[in-house]
Every structure is written in C-alpha cells, then in structure tokens.
Amino acid sequence: MRTEKIPFRKVEGTGFAGKLKNLRISVWLCVLFMTVLAALIIFADPITAHDPTEVDLSLKFHKACTAYPFGCDDYGRCVFCRCVFAVRNSVGIAFTIELAAVLIGSLFGMTAAYFGRIADQLFTTICSALMSFPNVILAMLIIALLGPSTRNIIVAMLIVDWIWYARITRSLTLSLKERKYVQAARMNGASAATVLRRHLAPGIIPQLIGQFTLNLGNVILGIAGLSFLGLGIQRPTPELGIMISDACSLIRTDFSLLLWPGMILFLVVLGFNVIGEFVSERLRRQG
C-alpha cells in the first residue's frame, strides 16, 4: 500500500523566535534604550569621570568635548554627569514610590473587596475624598504642608498614587472572589489570609504589572514637574526638573543646557510608556 507524505508546513509566529519577530520596532527601540539607561544607572560611578555637584567656575559654559560630552553649565559642572545621576535619582525614587504604592494599594483594595460592608464603604469614602482633588494639586498641597524635600515628595506622590492600584485591585477582587475555586477554598475552612495570598493574589498581580510599568513614566514626569517648581528634590542634587528650571534663564546663552535634560526626560518617559502599553496589551490578550 502506497502512502503519500504530507509536506510539513511551518507555522509563522509560533515559538519564542516567532514571538520576537512579532514585536513592534518601537518596542525594540525602547527596550534597547532602557537597557542602555539601566547600564548607565547601575554603573554611573565608574562611567562618569566628574563629580556632578563639583563647582569649577573656570569651566563655566565649557563647550562639548571628549572630557565633557554635553559641555558644562554656568557653575562649571559636567552636564553629562549631572544627567546620568539625575536619571538615576528620578528612576530610583519613582521605582520606590510605585513599589510602595502597589503593595499598599493591593493590600487595602483586596481587604476592602474581600470583607466588604464597613471595610468597603470606608475604603470607597477615602478614595472618593482623595480623588476629588487633581493629582498635581494634592501633591503640591501635601508638600506645602510638609516642606520641600526628597522624602516629602516620596510621601506626597505615594499618597496620590496608591489610590489607583487600590481601585484596580478592588474591582479585580470583587470579580475573582465569586469564582468557584475561591468559594470552594472558603467552604473548606481556608483562612482569609490564605484565600487572599493563594487564590486571589495570583490572578491580580499580572494585571498590576502593566499598570506598574506604565505609571513609572508618569511618576518620573511628576517628580520632574514638582522639582521644576522648587517643591521636590532640592539643589545641588542633580535632577532633570531642576536642570530644566535652571536652564530656562540661560536659554539664550547656551541652549544645550536646556536641550539635554529635556530630551532625556522625554525619552525616559516615552520608553516607559511604550513598554507599559505593550505589556498591558499582551496581558489583555492572554486574559
């Protein structure tokens, strides 16, 4: 009996290699940029040859060269070194704020939705009261009460940011706690902490990852905006908002002092936004 061989047909887009080919070019560029950015942040000390806060008036408005790739500012400080340390400070503070906001917001949101009644009503009232203020106005009000400093800007941004994670977690918990496997665990005598940790958290955490990445860019932009107004990180600590603020009065003398921190801030926020949108899109498809 003669048998015919069925030709093998390769299916495009399957496997790890296929998934890599399907990634958008913009995502690849942002991943490459963020990788370089991460390397600069981690190895900032050996990469930079100058102290970002060291003043040398003999180098005032020094033009770009090999030793000073971005030139020097009006105090003779290396602009490249200041940009590198400014990005490290902004990303580090933003990551700290977002991580704390995720933990606090997830805890309050899951607890309020799981127990309901008084806890949920109290949670809803607090969130409604805080969300009645615009984020920037609320952050400025808190800093005005506490005083401008790095610690206080973390507190202000955290108070503004945890609400969104708490509301997302609450809505997801309300949906997941009606699933049969959650009800079965409760009927078998599992404690509330066990149900929250083993059955609800695994379904909530993936949904928060995309929001976490997307919000990092917004927090960095918020830190820069508050520092620009003099309410955030204080001089002489290098920060992109402070550098942009100082360069505004020198725009006619040396435009590059405004160009470099502004361009870097734009690229950092854009990179986090593109990667965050991509991660959120992939998680929605998988869900």
Side-chain angles (χ1 to χ4, degrees):
M1 183 175 178
R2 187 177 179 182
T3 59
E4 296 182 359
K5 294 183 178 180
I6 300 176
F8 174 76
R9 184 174 63 181
K10 184 178 180 180
V11 179
E12 297 292 339
T14 59
F16 181 72
K19 292 180 180 179
L20 290 180
K21 293 180 180 179
N22 292 332
L23 288 176
R24 294 190 294 267
I25 297 178
S26 60
V27 177
W28 273 116
L29 293 176
C30 288
V31 170
L32 178 61
F33 172 75
M34 299 307 289
T35 302
V36 175
L37 184 67
L40 289 175
I41 293 173
I42 295 172
F43 303 104
D45 293 315
I47 289 176
T48 55
H50 308 281
D51 187 348
T53 60
E54 182 180 359
V55 176
D56 187 355
L57 295 179
S58 64
L59 297 173
K60 183 177 181 179
F61 297 122
H62 194 283
K63 299 300 181 181
C65 61
T66 305
Y68 302 95
F70 294 170
C72 297
D73 62 7
D74 54 330
Y75 287 97
R77 298 171 297 190
C78 178
V79 177
F80 173 76
C81 298
R82 288 182 61 79
C83 286
V84 171
F85 280 92
V87 171
R88 186 169 74 170
N89 292 334
S90 298
V91 174
I93 293 173
F95 189 84
T96 302
I97 293 171
E98 285 297 288
L99 185 60
V102 168
L103 295 176
I104 296 173
S106 300
L107 177 62
F108 278 94
M110 291 174 64
T111 303
Y114 184 79
F115 292 102
R117 297 182 180 179
I118 298 177
D120 195 28
Q121 292 177 2
L122 180 62
F123 169 81
T124 305
T125 302
I126 294 174
C127 287
S128 300
L130 292 176
M131 293 183 66
S132 62
F133 295 92
N135 292 347
V136 177
I137 301 299
L138 180 59
M140 293 175 63
L141 176 63
I142 296 171
I143 294 175
L145 294 175
L146 300 178
S149 68
T150 303
R151 182 189 63 183
N152 292 340
I153 195 175
I154 293 177
V155 173
M157 296 293 290
L158 178 59
I159 293 175
V160 170
D161 211 33
W162 75 273
I163 306 171
W164 302 101
Y165 290 106
R167 289 176 64 88
I168 294 172
T169 305
R170 175 181 176 272
S171 62
L172 292 173
T173 304
L174 289 174
S175 175
L176 292 175
K177 77 174 186 178
E178 302 299 330
R179 301 286 178 89
K180 293 183 178 179
Y181 64 89
V182 176
Q183 295 180 0
R186 297 174 65 180
M187 293 177 63
N188 288 334
S191 63
T194 302
V195 174
L196 291 173
R197 184 179 70 255
R198 294 186 178 181
H199 302 286
L200 294 179
I204 294 174
I205 291 175
Q207 304 300 323
L208 297 178
I209 294 176
Q211 190 69 23
F212 177 88
T213 309
L214 191 61
N215 278 359
L216 275 173
N218 296 330
V219 173
I220 292 174
L221 192 60
I223 293 171
L226 292 173
S227 299
F228 179 87
L229 297 174
L231 299 175
I233 301 173
Q234 298 299 300
R235 299 171 178 84
T237 303
E239 199 279 328
L240 295 175
I242 294 176
M243 296 177 66
I244 294 174
S245 176
D246 293 340
C248 286
S249 59
L250 303 171
I251 188 170
R252 294 185 178 180
T253 304
D254 191 347
F255 178 73
S256 64
L257 297 178
L258 180 63
L259 173 65
W260 292 118
M263 182 184 299
I264 291 174
L265 178 62
F266 169 76
L267 292 176
V268 170
V269 175
L270 177 64
F272 278 117
N273 285 343
V274 172
I275 295 175
E277 287 286 352
F278 175 76
V279 173
S280 300
E281 181 182 346
R282 299 288 293 188
L283 291 174
R284 283 196 298 268
R285 290 181 180 179
Q286 292 178 1

